[in-house]
Amino acid sequence: MGRYVFFILLLSCLSVSSQTYEIGVFAGGTNNIGDVGRTNFILPTNYAVGGLFKWNKSKRYAWRGSVYYGKFDADDSKSNIASRRQRGYQVGNSILEASAGLEFNFVEYNLHKLGPAFTPYLYTGLTYFRYDYNYFDAGRLQTGLEQRDGALAIPMTVGFKYRISQLFIIGAEIGARYTFTDNLDASNPEKSNVSFQIDPAFGNIFSDDWYVFSGVTFTYTFGRKLCTDCFE
């Protein structure tokens, strides 16, 4: 008889419970790692903003989606590489990305128990982004095409999050994106899109560009108690 009662309670729990969701905002900065400007891994040169959504499937992981927008500036005169300082190129670009993937918590992260909840986390998945298509001609940046291009990227993000109340969570993260393009900094455009009389490529044409979003997140959490907690 006890088994049947337990089974009925379990079914009831499954029928009325749902996972916990988070929705919130991101604010910070953007920098690139390419063939123009500095080579620092984390050194934001312009702003970044965005929104994100999380579906906490368990205490250990969450499905995550986000839309981020950022701008970066690259200036050879600020580089620690002498040849770049002598060349003197400057370029800026804007990035609009949509990303989806899995966020993994290092420790169990239970949003339904009273008290603080804290964990470092990793995030990865797949990103698609749009950026301005530019190229250099005789040392001058050409932006008159008014053309946008798109590419895929692999996000590699590390961060931490801390629950400051039952409804709100604050966090910070650094997310590098390995892109499948070498033209974020106008160093390797497709020759079919520029004059055939010039060779617009320069730098390391065998290494694709990176860009990095660094900043803080603030999310609001909602949704019913996880079913796995019903009998705790």
Side-chain angles (χ1 to χ4, degrees):
M1 183 66 180
R3 294 181 180 178
Y4 294 109
V5 172
F6 179 83
F7 184 71
I8 292 173
L9 289 173
L10 180 60
L11 288 178
S12 300
C13 179
L14 288 170
S15 64
V16 301
S17 65
S18 62
Q19 279 74 19
T20 296
Y21 303 98
E22 293 177 55
I23 188 168
V25 294
F26 167 88
T30 315
N31 67 280
N32 76 305
I33 307 169
D35 296 299
V36 178
R38 294 174 172 175
T39 57
N40 303 73
F41 185 76
I42 306 169
L43 188 63
T45 57
N46 215 317
Y47 73 91
V49 293
L52 65 158
F53 176 83
K54 300 181 185 181
W55 180 11
N56 292 286
K57 288 287 290 181
S58 79
K59 301 172 187 177
R60 283 289 189 176
Y61 74 92
W63 295 108
R64 166 173 163 167
S66 63
V67 176
Y68 286 0
Y69 175 82
K71 302 181 73 174
F72 70 81
D73 302 298
D75 187 346
D76 278 345
S77 66
K78 298 178 180 179
S79 175
N80 58 357
I81 301 175
S83 59
R84 293 192 182 187
R85 293 197 303 271
Q86 184 177 9
R87 183 180 60 193
Y89 282 180
Q90 296 182 32
V91 66
N93 214 325
S94 62
I95 298 168
L96 176 63
E97 70 160 37
S99 183
L102 186 69
E103 186 174 287
F104 174 77
N105 301 323
F106 278 88
V107 298
E108 288 192 351
Y109 189 67
N110 191 340
L111 297 179
H112 301 291
K113 289 186 176 180
L114 295 176
F118 169 84
T119 182
Y121 63 85
L122 296 175
Y123 167 74
T124 190
L126 187 64
T127 295
Y128 176 77
F129 67 98
R130 303 284 293 175
Y131 63 98
D132 294 325
Y133 182 91
N134 300 319
Y135 68 97
F136 283 94
D137 182 7
R140 300 185 65 180
L141 182 65
Q142 304 297 315
T143 59
L145 292 177
E146 296 182 356
Q147 178 180 343
R148 298 281 285 177
D149 208 350
L152 295 174
I154 303 297
M156 290 170 273
T157 299
V158 59
F160 70 87
K161 49 191 175 182
Y162 179 78
R163 184 178 64 185
I164 56 179
S165 73
Q166 288 298 105
L167 297 177
F168 296 103
I169 298 168
I170 191 169
E173 64 180 35
I174 298 169
R177 278 73 164 168
Y178 173 75
T179 75
F180 293 95
T181 179
D182 191 30
N183 201 48
L184 271 181
D185 51 14
S187 65
N188 193 18
E190 295 181 10
K191 292 185 179 181
S192 60
N193 291 343
V194 299
S195 172
F196 289 105
Q197 281 71 46
I198 64 172
D199 184 6
F202 63 90
N204 185 358
I205 62 174
F206 301 106
S207 177
D208 289 334
D209 294 329
W210 296 69
Y211 66 91
V212 182
F213 282 126
S214 308
V216 296
T217 61
F218 185 75
T219 60
Y220 168 78
T221 181
F222 61 98
R224 297 178 185 172
K225 191 175 183 181
L226 286 169
C227 189
T228 54
D229 293 333
C230 286
F231 300 101
E232 288 187 0

